[in-house]
Amino acid sequence: MAAIVNVTAVFPADAGYLTLYPCTPTVPTTSTVNYFAGTVVPNGAVVSLSPTGSLCVFALAATDIALDVSGYVPSGVATVELAEPARL
């Protein structure tokens, strides 16, 4: 199971990074967003969720975070089909 998200670091206090992960005891060593002090930096990601559906965020430096979930991939799905954008 996974979430399709957009995450943004908003005006961090110092240079650093965000890591999105499925709330495991150990934070992974890969970053989802890299940022510098005083910037606004977005990124999209597909993040695995914990067995209970949780998603955790680690920030190296103090920052505000905006997190938007734009999709969900349930367990057991082999592929994700994309739809063309359409105006209704």
Side-chain angles (χ1 to χ4, degrees):
M1 135 173 86
I4 302 166
V5 302
N6 287 312
V7 61
T8 305
V10 182
F11 302 123
D14 205 352
Y17 60 89
L18 298 177
T19 298
L20 277 60
Y21 65 104
C23 300
T24 55
T26 304
V27 178
T29 57
T30 57
S31 64
T32 309
V33 176
N34 297 302
Y35 51 78
F36 295 100
T39 59
V40 177
V41 183
N43 195 19
V46 178
V47 183
S48 294
L49 301 174
S50 74
T52 61
S54 297
L55 168 73
C56 288
V57 180
F58 170 81
L60 183 64
T63 184
D64 289 328
I65 297 169
L67 179 70
D68 297 311
V69 177
S70 57
Y72 172 74
V73 181
S75 297
V77 173
T79 62
V80 176
E81 292 184 31
L82 302 177
E84 291 292 325
R87 185 174 299 258
L88 299 175

